[in-house]
C-alpha cells in the first residue's frame, strides 16, 4: 500500500538510500517520506546507524614460537553524514573489517614474546584501532572501540605455564621455610648461649657465697671457742662438706649404698686428702 501511495517509512537509527533511475539521489532520515516511484525514484537500501560489534578470532604466532588465538572485539558504526559512502563503497563490511584486524594482529603479535603479549594487550588493541580508524573512515565508518578480550595459547602451553608458576611458588615457599628455620636455630642458639652465660654467673655467685660463708664461719668459731686455730675450723668445715656431699650422692644416685673409709683415723685421713687435693688444685693454677 505504501508503494502505491509513494510513501516510504524509515525507522529510527536508520537511513534509507534513494536512487533515481539507478543513480544515487538522497538519504532519507527516520520518518515518513513521499517517494514518487513513477518518476524513477526508489529505495536502494537501508543502513543502520546503531553501534555494532564484531568479534574476531585470529590465530597467530608469538616471537617465542607459541601459537595463540587472539580474540578481538571491534565496536563500530556508520556515520550519518557519510552513509552513502558506507552503503556504496563496501560490499561486505564485517569481512573487510576482519581482514584489517587479521593483518594488524599478525603483524604485531609476532614481535612479542608470549608473556609480553599478555602484558601489552592494550598496545595491540590500540594498534588495531588506529589502523581500522585510518582505513574505515574513508568508507563512512567510525571505529568506536577496539578491545583484545582474550589471548588463548594451546592447552599444553597453558599447562606448562601453570607448572612453571607452581614451581616458582614452591621455590619461594621453600626459601621462606628455610629462612624461618634459620632464624629459629639462631634464636635457639642465642637462647642457649644466654642460658649458659647466666648459669655461669650463678655458679660464680654460688662459689663466692660459699667462700664468704666459710670465712665468716672460721672467724666466728675462732672468736667463740678460745684456743682453736683457723686450721682446726677449716678441717671441721671440710669434713662437714664432705659428708654433705656423700649424703647428696646417696640420695641422687640409683644405688643407695655409698662406701667410705671407716676407722679411728678415717676422719683425719679424709681431711688430709681433701686438704692435699685443694693444695694440688691451687698449685696447678
Amino acid at each position: 500500500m505504501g508503494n502505491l501511495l509513494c510513501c516510504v517509512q524509515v525507522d529510527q537509527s536508520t537511513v534509507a538510500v534513494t536512487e533515481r533511475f539507478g543513480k544515487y539521489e538522497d538519504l532519507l532520515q527516520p520518518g515518513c517520506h513521499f517517494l514518487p516511484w513513477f518518476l524513477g525514484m526508489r529505495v536502494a537500501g537501508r543502513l543502520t546507524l546503531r553501534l555494532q560489534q564484531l568479534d574476531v578470532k585470529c590465530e597467530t604466532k608469538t616471537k617465542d614460537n607459541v601459537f595463540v588465538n587472539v580474540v578481538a572485539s571491534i565496536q563500530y558504526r556508520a556515520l550519518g553524514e557519510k552513509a552513502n559512502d558506507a552503503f556504496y563503497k563496501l560490499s561486505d563490511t564485517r569481512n573487510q573489517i576482519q581482514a584489517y584486524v587479521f593483518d594488524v594482529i599478525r603483524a604485531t603479535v609476532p614481535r612479542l614474546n608470549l608473556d609480553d603479549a599478555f602484558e601489552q594487550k592494550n598496545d595491540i588493541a590500540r594498534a588495531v584501532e588506529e589502523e581500522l580508524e585510518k582505513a574505515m573512515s574513508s568508507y563512512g565508518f567510525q571505529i568506536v572501540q577496539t578491545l583484545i578480550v582474550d589471548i588463548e595459547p594451546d592447552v599444553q602451553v597453558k599447562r606448562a605455564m601453570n607448572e612453571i608458576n607452581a614451581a616458582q611458588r614452591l621455590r619461594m615457599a621453600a626459601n621462606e621455610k628455610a629462612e624461618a628455620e634459620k632464624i629459629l636455630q639462631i634464636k635457639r642458639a642465642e637462647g642457649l648461649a644466654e642460658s649458659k652465660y647466666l648459669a655461669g654467673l650463678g655458679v660464680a655467685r654460688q662459689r663466692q657465697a660459699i667462700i664468704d660463708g666459710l670465712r665468716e664461719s672460721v672467724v666466728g668459731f675462732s672468736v667463740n671457742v678460745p684456743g682453736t686455730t683457723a686450721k682446726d675450723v677449716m678441717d671441721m668445715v671440710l669434713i662437714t662438706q664432705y659428708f654433705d656431699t656423700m649424703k647428696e650422692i646417696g640420695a641422687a644416685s640409683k644405688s643407695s649404698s655409698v662406701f667410705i673409709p671407716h676407722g679411728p683415723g678415717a676422719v683425719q685421713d679424709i681431711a688430709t686428702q681433701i686438704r692435699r687435693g685443694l693444695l694440688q688444685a691451687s698449685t696447678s693454677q
Side-chain angles (χ1 to χ4, degrees), residues 212-259:
D212 294 340
L214 290 176
R215 184 186 303 111
E216 293 177 0
S217 298
V218 170
V219 174
F221 195 87
S222 300
V223 172
N224 295 326
V225 182
T228 59
T229 63
K231 177 178 176 301
D232 298 332
V233 177
M234 284 301 301
D235 290 341
M236 183 182 302
V237 171
L238 290 175
I239 294 300
T240 302
Q241 292 292 326
Y242 175 77
F243 282 111
D244 289 340
T245 302
M246 297 303 294
K247 179 179 178 181
E248 291 180 1
I249 293 174
S253 176
K254 295 181 180 180
S255 175
S256 59
S257 300
V258 179
F259 295 93

mmCIF file of all heavy atoms in Angstrom, residues 212-259:
data_model
loop_
_atom_site.group_PDB
_atom_site.id
_atom_site.type_symbol
_atom_site.label_atom_id
_atom_site.label_comp_id
_atom_site.label_asym_id
_atom_site.label_seq_id
_atom_site.Cartn_x
_atom_site.Cartn_y
_atom_site.Cartn_z
ATOM 1 N N ASP A 212 82.492 -16.726 101.178
ATOM 2 C CA ASP A 212 82.159 -15.733 102.205
ATOM 3 C C ASP A 212 81.602 -16.409 103.454
ATOM 4 O O ASP A 212 81.920 -16.014 104.592
ATOM 5 C CB ASP A 212 81.128 -14.746 101.639
ATOM 6 C CG ASP A 212 81.710 -13.900 100.512
ATOM 7 O OD1 ASP A 212 82.961 -13.799 100.426
ATOM 8 O OD2 ASP A 212 80.920 -13.353 99.713
ATOM 9 N N GLY A 213 80.776 -17.454 103.244
ATOM 10 C CA GLY A 213 80.219 -18.157 104.408
ATOM 11 C C GLY A 213 81.288 -18.882 105.209
ATOM 12 O O GLY A 213 81.265 -18.884 106.449
ATOM 13 N N LEU A 214 82.236 -19.509 104.482
ATOM 14 C CA LEU A 214 83.328 -20.198 105.183
ATOM 15 C C LEU A 214 84.183 -19.216 105.970
ATOM 16 O O LEU A 214 84.600 -19.485 107.110
ATOM 17 C CB LEU A 214 84.188 -20.962 104.163
ATOM 18 C CG LEU A 214 83.538 -22.201 103.513
ATOM 19 C CD1 LEU A 214 84.470 -22.787 102.446
ATOM 20 C CD2 LEU A 214 83.225 -23.253 104.565
ATOM 21 N N ARG A 215 84.445 -18.062 105.352
ATOM 22 C CA ARG A 215 85.257 -17.063 106.044
ATOM 23 C C ARG A 215 84.565 -16.611 107.337
ATOM 24 O O ARG A 215 85.191 -16.521 108.404
ATOM 25 C CB ARG A 215 85.506 -15.864 105.127
ATOM 26 C CG ARG A 215 86.451 -14.821 105.767
ATOM 27 C CD ARG A 215 86.557 -13.572 104.908
ATOM 28 N NE ARG A 215 87.010 -13.870 103.582
ATOM 29 C CZ ARG A 215 86.265 -13.771 102.488
ATOM 30 N NH1 ARG A 215 85.001 -13.372 102.615
ATOM 31 N NH2 ARG A 215 86.740 -14.061 101.307
ATOM 32 N N GLU A 216 83.288 -16.347 107.274
ATOM 33 C CA GLU A 216 82.553 -15.915 108.463
ATOM 34 C C GLU A 216 82.498 -17.022 109.520
ATOM 35 O O GLU A 216 82.596 -16.759 110.726
ATOM 36 C CB GLU A 216 81.138 -15.495 108.069
ATOM 37 C CG GLU A 216 81.095 -14.239 107.200
ATOM 38 C CD GLU A 216 79.678 -13.902 106.760
ATOM 39 O OE1 GLU A 216 78.764 -14.661 107.147
ATOM 40 O OE2 GLU A 216 79.497 -12.892 106.041
ATOM 41 N N SER A 217 82.364 -18.267 109.042
ATOM 42 C CA SER A 217 82.324 -19.381 109.994
ATOM 43 C C SER A 217 83.647 -19.526 110.743
ATOM 44 O O SER A 217 83.681 -19.742 111.967
ATOM 45 C CB SER A 217 81.988 -20.690 109.262
ATOM 46 O OG SER A 217 80.715 -20.612 108.657
ATOM 47 N N VAL A 218 84.745 -19.426 109.989
ATOM 48 C CA VAL A 218 86.073 -19.549 110.621
ATOM 49 C C VAL A 218 86.300 -18.443 111.642
ATOM 50 O O VAL A 218 86.738 -18.678 112.779
ATOM 51 C CB VAL A 218 87.165 -19.549 109.537
ATOM 52 C CG1 VAL A 218 88.553 -19.431 110.190
ATOM 53 C CG2 VAL A 218 87.085 -20.806 108.696
ATOM 54 N N VAL A 219 85.956 -17.212 111.230
ATOM 55 C CA VAL A 219 86.169 -16.085 112.152
ATOM 56 C C VAL A 219 85.283 -16.218 113.379
ATOM 57 O O VAL A 219 85.717 -16.031 114.526
ATOM 58 C CB VAL A 219 85.907 -14.761 111.410
ATOM 59 C CG1 VAL A 219 85.969 -13.594 112.391
ATOM 60 C CG2 VAL A 219 86.939 -14.564 110.300
ATOM 61 N N GLY A 220 84.018 -16.574 113.181
ATOM 62 C CA GLY A 220 83.101 -16.687 114.313
ATOM 63 C C GLY A 220 83.471 -17.817 115.252
ATOM 64 O O GLY A 220 83.392 -17.685 116.488
ATOM 65 N N PHE A 221 83.865 -18.973 114.697
ATOM 66 C CA PHE A 221 84.246 -20.106 115.568
ATOM 67 C C PHE A 221 85.507 -19.790 116.358
ATOM 68 O O PHE A 221 85.631 -20.139 117.542
ATOM 69 C CB PHE A 221 84.450 -21.340 114.683
ATOM 70 C CG PHE A 221 84.480 -22.616 115.469
ATOM 71 C CD1 PHE A 221 83.293 -23.277 115.769
ATOM 72 C CD2 PHE A 221 85.685 -23.160 115.924
ATOM 73 C CE1 PHE A 221 83.315 -24.446 116.492
ATOM 74 C CE2 PHE A 221 85.700 -24.324 116.657
ATOM 75 C CZ PHE A 221 84.505 -24.987 116.943
ATOM 76 N N SER A 222 86.490 -19.120 115.746
ATOM 77 C CA SER A 222 87.737 -18.781 116.437
ATOM 78 C C SER A 222 87.481 -17.804 117.577
ATOM 79 O O SER A 222 88.134 -17.871 118.644
ATOM 80 C CB SER A 222 88.740 -18.169 115.444
ATOM 81 O OG SER A 222 89.022 -19.081 114.411
ATOM 82 N N VAL A 223 86.511 -16.934 117.419
ATOM 83 C CA VAL A 223 86.214 -15.955 118.472
ATOM 84 C C VAL A 223 85.475 -16.618 119.628
ATOM 85 O O VAL A 223 85.769 -16.362 120.806
ATOM 86 C CB VAL A 223 85.399 -14.788 117.875
ATOM 87 C CG1 VAL A 223 84.917 -13.851 118.982
ATOM 88 C CG2 VAL A 223 86.251 -14.011 116.879
ATOM 89 N N ASN A 224 84.492 -17.465 119.298
ATOM 90 C CA ASN A 224 83.657 -18.067 120.344
ATOM 91 C C ASN A 224 84.328 -19.233 121.066
ATOM 92 O O ASN A 224 83.955 -19.558 122.193
ATOM 93 C CB ASN A 224 82.329 -18.545 119.748
ATOM 94 C CG ASN A 224 81.494 -17.373 119.230
ATOM 95 O OD1 ASN A 224 81.525 -16.293 119.805
ATOM 96 N ND2 ASN A 224 80.767 -17.591 118.127
ATOM 97 N N VAL A 225 85.282 -19.912 120.409
ATOM 98 C CA VAL A 225 85.967 -21.059 121.042
ATOM 99 C C VAL A 225 87.436 -20.701 121.172
ATOM 100 O O VAL A 225 88.187 -20.803 120.187
ATOM 101 C CB VAL A 225 85.769 -22.337 120.210
ATOM 102 C CG1 VAL A 225 86.446 -23.511 120.906
ATOM 103 C CG2 VAL A 225 84.285 -22.622 120.018
ATOM 104 N N PRO A 226 87.858 -20.270 122.335
ATOM 105 C CA PRO A 226 89.270 -19.884 122.503
ATOM 106 C C PRO A 226 90.184 -21.098 122.342
ATOM 107 O O PRO A 226 89.829 -22.230 122.676
ATOM 108 C CB PRO A 226 89.324 -19.327 123.923
ATOM 109 C CG PRO A 226 87.905 -18.984 124.259
ATOM 110 C CD PRO A 226 87.056 -19.967 123.556
ATOM 111 N N GLY A 227 91.345 -20.867 121.802
ATOM 112 C CA GLY A 227 92.351 -21.914 121.662
ATOM 113 C C GLY A 227 92.301 -22.632 120.326
ATOM 114 O O GLY A 227 93.191 -23.447 120.050
ATOM 115 N N THR A 228 91.261 -22.400 119.524
ATOM 116 C CA THR A 228 91.184 -23.053 118.201
ATOM 117 C C THR A 228 91.846 -22.167 117.162
ATOM 118 O O THR A 228 91.848 -20.943 117.274
ATOM 119 C CB THR A 228 89.728 -23.303 117.790
ATOM 120 O OG1 THR A 228 89.030 -22.065 117.751
ATOM 121 C CG2 THR A 228 89.044 -24.245 118.764
ATOM 122 N N THR A 229 92.425 -22.859 116.197
ATOM 123 C CA THR A 229 93.074 -22.140 115.097
ATOM 124 C C THR A 229 92.199 -22.219 113.844
ATOM 125 O O THR A 229 91.231 -22.987 113.759
ATOM 126 C CB THR A 229 94.446 -22.736 114.796
ATOM 127 O OG1 THR A 229 94.258 -24.102 114.368
ATOM 128 C CG2 THR A 229 95.336 -22.722 116.035
ATOM 129 N N ALA A 230 92.578 -21.409 112.880
ATOM 130 C CA ALA A 230 91.839 -21.422 111.621
ATOM 131 C C ALA A 230 91.937 -22.765 110.921
ATOM 132 O O ALA A 230 91.009 -23.231 110.261
ATOM 133 C CB ALA A 230 92.363 -20.315 110.704
ATOM 134 N N LYS A 231 93.092 -23.465 111.116
ATOM 135 C CA LYS A 231 93.275 -24.780 110.504
ATOM 136 C C LYS A 231 92.273 -25.772 111.070
ATOM 137 O O LYS A 231 91.689 -26.580 110.333
ATOM 138 C CB LYS A 231 94.702 -25.246 110.748
ATOM 139 C CG LYS A 231 95.017 -26.637 110.214
ATOM 140 C CD LYS A 231 96.466 -26.988 110.454
ATOM 141 C CE LYS A 231 96.725 -28.416 110.000
ATOM 142 N NZ LYS A 231 95.881 -29.399 110.690
ATOM 143 N N ASP A 232 92.053 -25.744 112.393
ATOM 144 C CA ASP A 232 91.091 -26.668 113.000
ATOM 145 C C ASP A 232 89.673 -26.419 112.465
ATOM 146 O O ASP A 232 88.919 -27.361 112.178
ATOM 147 C CB ASP A 232 91.107 -26.498 114.530
ATOM 148 C CG ASP A 232 92.473 -26.842 115.125
ATOM 149 O OD1 ASP A 232 93.170 -27.679 114.501
ATOM 150 O OD2 ASP A 232 92.823 -26.275 116.167
ATOM 151 N N VAL A 233 89.323 -25.163 112.362
ATOM 152 C CA VAL A 233 87.975 -24.837 111.857
ATOM 153 C C VAL A 233 87.823 -25.294 110.417
ATOM 154 O O VAL A 233 86.782 -25.850 110.018
ATOM 155 C CB VAL A 233 87.727 -23.325 111.985
ATOM 156 C CG1 VAL A 233 86.366 -22.956 111.395
ATOM 157 C CG2 VAL A 233 87.797 -22.905 113.447
ATOM 158 N N MET A 234 88.843 -25.098 109.583
ATOM 159 C CA MET A 234 88.773 -25.499 108.179
ATOM 160 C C MET A 234 88.661 -27.002 108.053
ATOM 161 O O MET A 234 87.922 -27.518 107.201
ATOM 162 C CB MET A 234 90.012 -24.998 107.425
ATOM 163 C CG MET A 234 89.972 -23.513 107.122
ATOM 164 S SD MET A 234 88.538 -23.048 106.120
ATOM 165 C CE MET A 234 88.790 -24.057 104.679
ATOM 166 N N ASP A 235 89.377 -27.732 108.919
ATOM 167 C CA ASP A 235 89.259 -29.199 108.888
ATOM 168 C C ASP A 235 87.830 -29.620 109.195
ATOM 169 O O ASP A 235 87.266 -30.514 108.541
ATOM 170 C CB ASP A 235 90.225 -29.828 109.896
ATOM 171 C CG ASP A 235 91.684 -29.680 109.464
ATOM 172 O OD1 ASP A 235 91.888 -29.433 108.234
ATOM 173 O OD2 ASP A 235 92.594 -29.811 110.302
ATOM 174 N N MET A 236 87.236 -28.984 110.185
ATOM 175 C CA MET A 236 85.861 -29.332 110.556
ATOM 176 C C MET A 236 84.887 -28.992 109.411
ATOM 177 O O MET A 236 83.982 -29.784 109.089
ATOM 178 C CB MET A 236 85.467 -28.573 111.833
ATOM 179 C CG MET A 236 84.071 -28.931 112.357
ATOM 180 S SD MET A 236 83.645 -27.974 113.810
ATOM 181 C CE MET A 236 84.982 -28.412 114.901
ATOM 182 N N VAL A 237 85.095 -27.830 108.784
ATOM 183 C CA VAL A 237 84.201 -27.427 107.693
ATOM 184 C C VAL A 237 84.339 -28.371 106.491
ATOM 185 O O VAL A 237 83.363 -28.771 105.865
ATOM 186 C CB VAL A 237 84.486 -25.977 107.274
ATOM 187 C CG1 VAL A 237 83.728 -25.622 105.996
ATOM 188 C CG2 VAL A 237 84.100 -25.031 108.388
ATOM 189 N N LEU A 238 85.579 -28.738 106.182
ATOM 190 C CA LEU A 238 85.806 -29.652 105.065
ATOM 191 C C LEU A 238 85.150 -31.001 105.312
ATOM 192 O O LEU A 238 84.544 -31.588 104.408
ATOM 193 C CB LEU A 238 87.304 -29.817 104.822
ATOM 194 C CG LEU A 238 88.049 -28.610 104.246
ATOM 195 C CD1 LEU A 238 89.563 -28.870 104.174
ATOM 196 C CD2 LEU A 238 87.516 -28.280 102.855
ATOM 197 N N ILE A 239 85.270 -31.509 106.530
ATOM 198 C CA ILE A 239 84.657 -32.801 106.836
ATOM 199 C C ILE A 239 83.139 -32.699 106.729
ATOM 200 O O ILE A 239 82.467 -33.587 106.198
ATOM 201 C CB ILE A 239 85.077 -33.265 108.248
ATOM 202 C CG1 ILE A 239 86.587 -33.556 108.281
ATOM 203 C CG2 ILE A 239 84.303 -34.501 108.661
ATOM 204 C CD1 ILE A 239 87.010 -34.640 107.308
ATOM 205 N N THR A 240 82.599 -31.593 107.239
ATOM 206 C CA THR A 240 81.141 -31.406 107.145
ATOM 207 C C THR A 240 80.691 -31.360 105.684
ATOM 208 O O THR A 240 79.682 -31.979 105.294
ATOM 209 C CB THR A 240 80.744 -30.114 107.858
ATOM 210 O OG1 THR A 240 81.175 -30.178 109.226
ATOM 211 C CG2 THR A 240 79.235 -29.932 107.831
ATOM 212 N N GLN A 241 81.411 -30.609 104.863
ATOM 213 C CA GLN A 241 81.082 -30.533 103.444
ATOM 214 C C GLN A 241 81.223 -31.895 102.783
ATOM 215 O O GLN A 241 80.425 -32.261 101.905
ATOM 216 C CB GLN A 241 81.997 -29.506 102.747
ATOM 217 C CG GLN A 241 81.760 -28.079 103.160
ATOM 218 C CD GLN A 241 80.407 -27.576 102.671
ATOM 219 O OE1 GLN A 241 79.946 -27.963 101.613
ATOM 220 N NE2 GLN A 241 79.778 -26.711 103.455
ATOM 221 N N TYR A 242 82.211 -32.643 103.169
ATOM 222 C CA TYR A 242 82.427 -33.962 102.576
ATOM 223 C C TYR A 242 81.239 -34.868 102.844
ATOM 224 O O TYR A 242 80.722 -35.522 101.934
ATOM 225 C CB TYR A 242 83.731 -34.550 103.128
ATOM 226 C CG TYR A 242 83.989 -35.967 102.668
ATOM 227 C CD1 TYR A 242 84.451 -36.212 101.372
ATOM 228 C CD2 TYR A 242 83.763 -37.044 103.504
ATOM 229 C CE1 TYR A 242 84.678 -37.505 100.935
ATOM 230 C CE2 TYR A 242 83.980 -38.344 103.071
ATOM 231 C CZ TYR A 242 84.450 -38.572 101.797
ATOM 232 O OH TYR A 242 84.664 -39.854 101.368
ATOM 233 N N PHE A 243 80.807 -34.922 104.121
ATOM 234 C CA PHE A 243 79.686 -35.799 104.449
ATOM 235 C C PHE A 243 78.377 -35.303 103.819
ATOM 236 O O PHE A 243 77.524 -36.115 103.441
ATOM 237 C CB PHE A 243 79.542 -35.915 105.975
ATOM 238 C CG PHE A 243 80.542 -36.856 106.581
ATOM 239 C CD1 PHE A 243 81.570 -36.383 107.378
ATOM 240 C CD2 PHE A 243 80.461 -38.227 106.328
ATOM 241 C CE1 PHE A 243 82.496 -37.245 107.928
ATOM 242 C CE2 PHE A 243 81.394 -39.088 106.884
ATOM 243 C CZ PHE A 243 82.422 -38.610 107.676
ATOM 244 N N ASP A 244 78.212 -33.972 103.693
ATOM 245 C CA ASP A 244 77.026 -33.464 102.992
ATOM 246 C C ASP A 244 77.025 -33.889 101.528
ATOM 247 O O ASP A 244 75.976 -34.249 100.958
ATOM 248 C CB ASP A 244 76.980 -31.933 103.085
ATOM 249 C CG ASP A 244 76.640 -31.456 104.495
ATOM 250 O OD1 ASP A 244 76.089 -32.264 105.265
ATOM 251 O OD2 ASP A 244 76.904 -30.269 104.798
ATOM 252 N N THR A 245 78.225 -33.858 100.933
ATOM 253 C CA THR A 245 78.336 -34.286 99.535
ATOM 254 C C THR A 245 78.004 -35.754 99.392
ATOM 255 O O THR A 245 77.275 -36.168 98.475
ATOM 256 C CB THR A 245 79.751 -34.006 99.015
ATOM 257 O OG1 THR A 245 80.035 -32.614 99.141
ATOM 258 C CG2 THR A 245 79.870 -34.416 97.541
ATOM 259 N N MET A 246 78.528 -36.583 100.278
ATOM 260 C CA MET A 246 78.244 -38.011 100.215
ATOM 261 C C MET A 246 76.763 -38.280 100.432
ATOM 262 O O MET A 246 76.175 -39.174 99.803
ATOM 263 C CB MET A 246 79.071 -38.742 101.271
ATOM 264 C CG MET A 246 80.584 -38.638 101.078
ATOM 265 S SD MET A 246 81.121 -39.233 99.459
ATOM 266 C CE MET A 246 80.716 -40.967 99.605
ATOM 267 N N LYS A 247 76.137 -37.489 101.274
ATOM 268 C CA LYS A 247 74.696 -37.652 101.504
ATOM 269 C C LYS A 247 73.901 -37.334 100.236
ATOM 270 O O LYS A 247 72.964 -38.057 99.874
ATOM 271 C CB LYS A 247 74.267 -36.720 102.640
ATOM 272 C CG LYS A 247 72.780 -36.788 102.967
ATOM 273 C CD LYS A 247 72.457 -35.852 104.112
ATOM 274 C CE LYS A 247 70.953 -35.886 104.416
ATOM 275 N NZ LYS A 247 70.611 -34.949 105.516
ATOM 276 N N GLU A 248 74.299 -36.276 99.556
ATOM 277 C CA GLU A 248 73.605 -35.912 98.318
ATOM 278 C C GLU A 248 73.833 -36.974 97.238
ATOM 279 O O GLU A 248 72.923 -37.288 96.466
ATOM 280 C CB GLU A 248 74.086 -34.554 97.821
ATOM 281 C CG GLU A 248 73.651 -33.395 98.721
ATOM 282 C CD GLU A 248 74.145 -32.060 98.206
ATOM 283 O OE1 GLU A 248 74.808 -32.067 97.135
ATOM 284 O OE2 GLU A 248 73.887 -31.031 98.852
ATOM 285 N N ILE A 249 75.053 -37.518 97.174
ATOM 286 C CA ILE A 249 75.319 -38.571 96.188
ATOM 287 C C ILE A 249 74.446 -39.783 96.466
ATOM 288 O O ILE A 249 73.868 -40.393 95.563
ATOM 289 C CB ILE A 249 76.809 -38.957 96.208
ATOM 290 C CG1 ILE A 249 77.668 -37.779 95.691
ATOM 291 C CG2 ILE A 249 77.065 -40.207 95.363
ATOM 292 C CD1 ILE A 249 79.162 -38.022 95.803
ATOM 293 N N GLY A 250 74.319 -40.153 97.725
ATOM 294 C CA GLY A 250 73.483 -41.296 98.070
ATOM 295 C C GLY A 250 72.014 -41.059 97.773
ATOM 296 O O GLY A 250 71.286 -41.978 97.403
ATOM 297 N N ALA A 251 71.579 -39.814 97.911
ATOM 298 C CA ALA A 251 70.172 -39.528 97.659
ATOM 299 C C ALA A 251 69.875 -39.436 96.170
ATOM 300 O O ALA A 251 68.783 -39.804 95.712
ATOM 301 C CB ALA A 251 69.780 -38.219 98.343
ATOM 302 N N ALA A 252 70.850 -38.945 95.389
ATOM 303 C CA ALA A 252 70.608 -38.737 93.964
ATOM 304 C C ALA A 252 70.982 -39.937 93.121
ATOM 305 O O ALA A 252 70.490 -40.092 92.015
ATOM 306 C CB ALA A 252 71.386 -37.509 93.481
ATOM 307 N N SER A 253 71.837 -40.794 93.562
ATOM 308 C CA SER A 253 72.305 -41.922 92.763
ATOM 309 C C SER A 253 71.254 -43.021 92.716
ATOM 310 O O SER A 253 70.370 -43.127 93.579
ATOM 311 C CB SER A 253 73.613 -42.461 93.339
ATOM 312 O OG SER A 253 74.029 -43.610 92.626
ATOM 313 N N LYS A 254 71.352 -43.865 91.671
ATOM 314 C CA LYS A 254 70.454 -45.009 91.577
ATOM 315 C C LYS A 254 70.728 -46.037 92.670
ATOM 316 O O LYS A 254 69.841 -46.782 93.060
ATOM 317 C CB LYS A 254 70.607 -45.655 90.197
ATOM 318 C CG LYS A 254 70.165 -44.761 89.043
ATOM 319 C CD LYS A 254 70.327 -45.469 87.725
ATOM 320 C CE LYS A 254 69.893 -44.572 86.573
ATOM 321 N NZ LYS A 254 70.035 -45.246 85.264
ATOM 322 N N SER A 255 71.942 -46.093 93.112
ATOM 323 C CA SER A 255 72.291 -47.024 94.197
ATOM 324 C C SER A 255 72.228 -46.294 95.522
ATOM 325 O O SER A 255 72.670 -45.147 95.641
ATOM 326 C CB SER A 255 73.703 -47.588 93.972
ATOM 327 O OG SER A 255 74.078 -48.395 95.069
ATOM 328 N N SER A 256 71.661 -46.904 96.510
ATOM 329 C CA SER A 256 71.535 -46.279 97.825
ATOM 330 C C SER A 256 72.697 -46.591 98.748
ATOM 331 O O SER A 256 72.698 -46.173 99.902
ATOM 332 C CB SER A 256 70.220 -46.741 98.497
ATOM 333 O OG SER A 256 70.211 -48.153 98.625
ATOM 334 N N SER A 257 73.698 -47.343 98.251
ATOM 335 C CA SER A 257 74.860 -47.712 99.074
ATOM 336 C C SER A 257 76.069 -46.928 98.624
ATOM 337 O O SER A 257 76.403 -46.905 97.438
ATOM 338 C CB SER A 257 75.152 -49.216 98.965
ATOM 339 O OG SER A 257 74.038 -49.967 99.417
ATOM 340 N N VAL A 258 76.743 -46.249 99.574
ATOM 341 C CA VAL A 258 77.952 -45.489 99.301
ATOM 342 C C VAL A 258 79.029 -45.971 100.259
ATOM 343 O O VAL A 258 78.827 -45.988 101.489
ATOM 344 C CB VAL A 258 77.724 -43.968 99.482
ATOM 345 C CG1 VAL A 258 79.014 -43.210 99.209
ATOM 346 C CG2 VAL A 258 76.615 -43.501 98.556
ATOM 347 N N PHE A 259 80.181 -46.402 99.746
ATOM 348 C CA PHE A 259 81.282 -46.919 100.566
ATOM 349 C C PHE A 259 82.271 -45.799 100.845
ATOM 350 O O PHE A 259 82.792 -45.169 99.932
ATOM 351 C CB PHE A 259 81.973 -48.072 99.843
ATOM 352 C CG PHE A 259 81.088 -49.286 99.658
ATOM 353 C CD1 PHE A 259 80.363 -49.441 98.493
ATOM 354 C CD2 PHE A 259 80.972 -50.243 100.661
ATOM 355 C CE1 PHE A 259 79.541 -50.539 98.311
ATOM 356 C CE2 PHE A 259 80.156 -51.340 100.484
ATOM 357 C CZ PHE A 259 79.433 -51.498 99.310
#
